[in-house]
Amino acid sequence: MFEDHEIISTIEMVKNEHLDVRAVTLGINLFDCISHDLDTFRHNIRKKITGHAGALKSVCDAVGDKYGIQVVNKRISISPIALVGAAFSADQMVEIAHELNEIATAVDIDFIGGFSALVEKGMATGDTALINALPRALAETQRVCASVNVATTKAGINMDAVLQMARAIKQAAELTADQDGLACAKLCVFANIPEDMPFMAGAYLGVGVADAVINVGVSGPGVVKRAIERNLENGPMTLGNIAEVIKRTACKVTRVGELIGREVARELDVRFGVVDLSLAPTPTVGDSIGEIFQALGLSHIGVPGSTAALAMLNDAVKKGGAFASSHVGGLSGAFIPVSEDLNIAQAAHQGFLSLEKLEAMTSVCSVGLDMVPVPGDITEECLAGMIADEMAIGMINAKTTATRIIPVPGKKAGDSVYFGGLLGEAKIMAVPHMADASLFVHHGGRIPAPIHSLKN
């Protein structure tokens, strides 16, 4: 049972501490739209998506106004296009991406995710076509997001796919060189991707899920930071007590997210899916994951102690969220995206946060090397090595990890990049030994699954 002061603190969260619902995502199953004829397929997916999502934005706005809690992003996730569009070539996949972009514009949502493939154990015809289409599909559209799962704890790491994704990322960056490689900001490479998550760029609707479902992603770094500061103002606290504060705060944030999500689902007459507990920052001052580290007593994110602090934060958020909702899913952790978090971007620029430390921290959090701008002349082999390292962390630890790396054409470490909106801005991070040629990633094949994958 919450006490009076905790109810008042929840009102403070809404009024002064950037509490909002970061994303309401409508998942739509497209398997009943499959056709071998491209025009028929395009007609089918347009009819189905607009039928379900036509009122998504207006309903989210109305529910947000009713409770005074903004729904920042309205999004759609769909069945993986590599599966439902397996009959089509790479050029036809690009046409599908254009169709999805037009649909997203027509229903006025921010992003549509699901231009995706699952290739951890090998690539089928549709998977290869989709990966080959990625550079153009992302460069020629504005609202289409893509993800490719190349590793799982059960299957190991598909190193052929890792190298192909490195090439696709480089090509996508070159095609959007006039926008600092912006296309890569809409592309995630995953290990152990969840099936139902509202956060882009990786969102897609998996199999085994209802025909249409509403998922919610909460936010709240500013809320957690202020809760820690408020309690420390009353005197010293042990880390165990601070973890308890974070846990109770996460519980309240999750309740808010589920309240909004269930009402949106009811208004749209679709099922409610899950709440993703991820603490996702914005480039706004006062709404930063990095500032939570400072509230905990660290001078900057990235200094010694940061990994331990992140582990405690992540665990407390999960425990609080799990108490608040019986339907938790997605990534459900703390994001540490470089450009999307003003404090993290500054710590990286000032040298407190290196790429190596960032990688170490991803072993205890969601999701991975996220929104990391790197020099444009990075080799495909180096990029593939970075992706493989991050996939290995996910595979061995049976957790989700991902990379969203942006090689910025024509720019070097220390130069500025600006992606706009929630994607933020940052200085390009240095990549040690970037020019070293690596034969490792050219061996190809699949890195075998770890021994603990044999659990059954």
Side-chain angles (χ1 to χ4, degrees):
M1 179 69 73
F2 290 114
E3 298 175 5
D4 291 349
H5 73 276
E6 291 181 288
I7 295 172
I8 293 172
S9 75
T10 304
I11 297 172
E12 280 294 309
M13 292 177 185
V14 177
K15 289 176 61 181
N16 303 318
E17 298 170 5
H18 306 286
L19 177 60
D20 51 39
V21 172
R22 184 176 171 100
V24 167
T25 305
L26 173 60
I28 302 174
N29 186 314
L30 298 184
F31 277 89
D32 56 352
C33 300
I34 291 175
S35 170
H36 281 74
D37 180 78
L38 181 60
D39 289 336
T40 303
F41 180 71
R42 291 172 63 169
H43 169 78
N44 290 346
I45 63 174
R46 176 177 283 271
K47 182 179 179 183
K48 178 135 192 205
I49 296 173
T50 54
H52 280 293
L56 177 62
K57 183 176 185 300
S58 59
V59 167
C60 288
D61 289 342
V63 173
D65 290 343
K66 177 180 177 182
Y67 292 100
I69 298 170
Q70 183 188 12
V71 177
V72 180
N73 294 291
K74 298 86 177 175
R75 299 168 171 175
I76 295 172
S77 64
I78 55 176
S79 308
I81 290 297
L83 298 181
V84 296
F88 302 117
S89 67
D91 287 340
Q92 290 172 317
M93 289 283 190
V94 174
E95 291 188 50
I96 294 170
H98 281 282
E99 183 73 34
L100 293 172
N101 197 62
E102 291 173 12
I103 295 169
T105 304
V107 297
D108 198 17
I109 51 98
D110 301 285
F111 290 110
I112 183 166
F115 200 77
S116 305
L118 311 172
V119 299
E120 61 272 9
K121 216 168 182 176
M123 282 179 279
T125 305
D127 302 321
T128 302
L130 183 129
I131 292 174
N132 289 336
L134 279 173
R136 280 188 57 204
L138 295 176
E140 296 174 10
T141 63
Q142 295 76 46
R143 306 192 190 202
V144 175
C145 291
S147 56
V148 176
N149 193 68
V150 300
T152 66
T153 299
K154 282 287 189 183
I157 304 174
N158 183 343
M159 290 299 294
D160 295 317
V162 168
L163 188 56
Q164 284 199 33
M165 289 308 300
R167 288 171 179 154
I169 291 169
K170 286 277 288 183
Q171 291 168 11
E174 292 295 338
L175 290 175
T176 49
D178 58 337
Q179 299 171 284
D180 286 339
L182 180 63
C184 301
K186 299 185 292 170
L187 173 59
C188 282
V189 184
F190 272 94
N192 293 322
I193 189 170
E195 289 190 350
D196 53 349
M197 60 176 176
F199 282 119
M200 298 293 171
Y204 78 102
L205 188 75
V207 296
V209 185
D211 197 48
V213 61
I214 284 288
N215 293 326
V216 176
V218 298
S219 182
V223 173
V224 172
K225 174 202 162 204
R226 274 302 299 145
I228 295 171
E229 291 175 340
R230 205 163 32 236
N231 281 272
L232 285 174
E233 287 167 0
N234 298 323
M237 298 175 69
T238 66
L239 289 172
N241 289 335
I242 293 175
E244 182 67 19
V245 169
I246 297 171
K247 194 171 72 175
R248 295 178 74 87
T249 305
C251 179
K252 286 182 273 190
V253 170
T254 305
R255 286 284 195 198
V256 170
E258 181 156 342
L259 170 71
I260 299 295
R262 286 193 179 278
E263 184 137 344
V264 170
R266 186 164 56 248
E267 292 292 326
L268 292 175
D269 195 24
V270 299
R271 288 192 180 190
F272 176 74
V274 299
V275 181
D276 188 317
L277 309 175
S278 300
L279 285 183
T282 70
T284 306
V285 175
D287 198 26
S288 161
I289 297 286
E291 290 176 41
I292 296 176
F293 286 72
Q294 293 175 326
L296 291 169
L298 297 166
S299 65
H300 298 82
I301 184 171
V303 302
S306 297
T307 307
L310 183 58
M312 182 186 77
L313 172 66
N314 218 36
D315 181 67
V317 167
K318 287 178 188 291
K319 287 173 177 171
F323 180 74
S325 174
S326 298
H327 300 286
V328 171
L331 298 171
S332 290
F335 286 9
I336 47 173
V338 175
S339 73
E340 293 182 356
D341 186 306
L342 181 62
N343 189 280
I344 295 177
Q346 289 174 343
H349 174 54
Q350 294 165 356
F352 294 104
L353 181 63
S354 66
L355 199 58
E356 295 92 328
K357 184 64 174 178
L358 197 61
E359 182 183 299
M361 293 171 69
T362 65
S363 65
V364 299
C365 82
S366 302
V367 59
L369 294 176
D370 194 19
M371 289 301 289
V372 179
V374 298
D377 60 349
I378 188 172
T379 64
E380 290 176 0
E381 290 79 5
C382 183
L383 196 54
M386 291 173 67
I387 295 170
D389 286 345
E390 196 59 42
M391 299 302 106
I393 290 173
M395 176 185 72
I396 293 296
N397 294 292
K399 69 185 290 295
T400 303
T401 56
T403 63
R404 191 162 45 149
I405 303 172
I406 305 159
V408 184
K411 293 193 175 180
K412 60 184 186 305
D415 289 347
S416 298
V417 290
Y418 177 74
F419 301 118
L422 284 176
L423 299 177
E425 59 185 298
K427 302 285 186 181
I428 294 173
M429 296 188 73
V431 180
H433 316 297
M434 188 178 72
D436 286 357
S438 172
L439 296 177
F440 174 71
V441 297
H442 283 289
H443 287 301
R446 187 151 51 98
I447 294 179
I451 185 67
H452 56 259
S453 69
L454 295 180
K455 281 192 291 188
N456 196 337

